[in-house]
Amino acid sequence: METLRYFLFDICGIAAGWKMEDVMEEEIEVIKGTVGPEDHVICALSGGVDSTVAATLVHKAIGDRLHCVFVDNGLLRYKERERVMETFERDLHLPVTCVDAIEQFLSKLKGVEEPEMKRKIIGKEFICIFDAFAHDLEQKLGRKPAYLVQGTLYPDVIESCPPPGTGRTHSHTIKSHHNVGGLPKDMKLKLIEPLKLLFKDEVRQLGKILNVPEGFLKRHPFPGPGLAVRVLGDVTKNNALDILREVDEIFIQSIKDAGLYDRIWQAFAVFLPVRSVGVQGDQRTHSHVVALRAVTSQDGMTADWYYFEHKFLDDVARKICNSVRGVNRVVQDITSKPPSTIEWE
């Protein structure tokens, strides 16, 4: 870093005048120049930091011509729908419509085990929802929205597509993010992605300037495909989603109670497609295994696993096995990125 600093500032004579406020003003001008004075825009809100900051930025640029939609696809965390909608209404004052699409998503995912296929299906179904939402808006406004705002970040682009400017049409796809490689080619809405050249830490800086509540900005990242990439295999089997929600809630709440939440980049539980023999009470059990993962990172491109005290892990494992029916074993993922990705699928 010091070598790079010396080259840029001392040898090249570049001034360190770049500020996040400049990025905000530039993006607002780009949005205004892209969206016509009478055009309306849909924003896909996930409840995460990225889409929320993107929505707030676009709202600042075009005002009430932005129409936000939050989709409950059945792959959300414990009480996520209620918590997120309350935050949008109470703290962010964004116009948000909630769409219940649980059956639509889970019926399409039934029997699907391959991770890339799950991501592709989810991306396609999201676009179907947004197209239908755009049609409904057209009936009300007399004008069909032409654009879709997404909170795509630079790491999403890197992991899903060839590097920009290379001229290459193929590269090693690490995973197709639902809002990049997972989008269908025939989608009707044109994309606006104001954050696609930023990393997560920069998005949080931008959100702070836009007065997004700090508690919201500090939320751990949550993948666009939701719990579909935290249930290994078919998400509709073995009551996996409900079990995972309970386990994840216990893990995250324990982290918060221990005062560790802000020290960790991302923490979550994973439902594994295996069963193990155990003994609970006086009975033999043959139940599910879950994994706990927590990492530290600066930008999500690399990550190190977080070292918990043994007593913390012991307490969490006991609480999970005693509280969540169908789980009799808890393991911890202690792999960094690379060689692993942060998410399991």
Side-chain angles (χ1 to χ4, degrees), residues 15 66 68 70 84 116 170 195 211 234-235 253 255 265 267 335 338:
L66 175 70
C68 299
F70 175 78
V84 165
E116 275 294 291
H170 299 281
L195 312 178
N211 295 317
D234 186 345
V235 301
Q253 191 57 53
I255 288 173
W265 168 270
T335 320

Side-chain angles (χ1 to χ4, degrees), residues 207-244:
K208 190 172 183 180
I209 296 169
L210 290 166
N211 295 317
V212 175
E214 186 176 6
F216 208 86
L217 292 175
K218 288 183 175 180
R219 295 190 80 195
H220 289 182
F222 186 63
L227 299 182
V229 295
R230 295 179 180 176
V231 172
L232 274 60
D234 186 345
V235 301
T236 66
K237 292 175 61 177
N238 300 315
N239 198 31
L241 289 169
D242 286 337
I243 290 174
L244 182 57

Side-chain angles (χ1 to χ4, degrees), residues 131-148:
D131 282 340
F133 184 66
H135 178 74
D136 291 343
L137 279 177
E138 183 180 17
Q139 305 304 308
K140 297 176 183 177
L141 303 171
R143 188 183 186 92
K144 189 171 184 178
Y147 295 94
L148 172 67

Side-chain angles (χ1 to χ4, degrees), residues 44-52 70 77 80 84 88 216 219-220 222:
L45 279 177
S46 68
V49 175
D50 309 334
S51 62
T52 301
F70 175 78
R77 289 171 290 195
E80 181 83 348
V84 165
F88 286 149
F216 208 86
R219 295 190 80 195
H220 289 182
F222 186 63

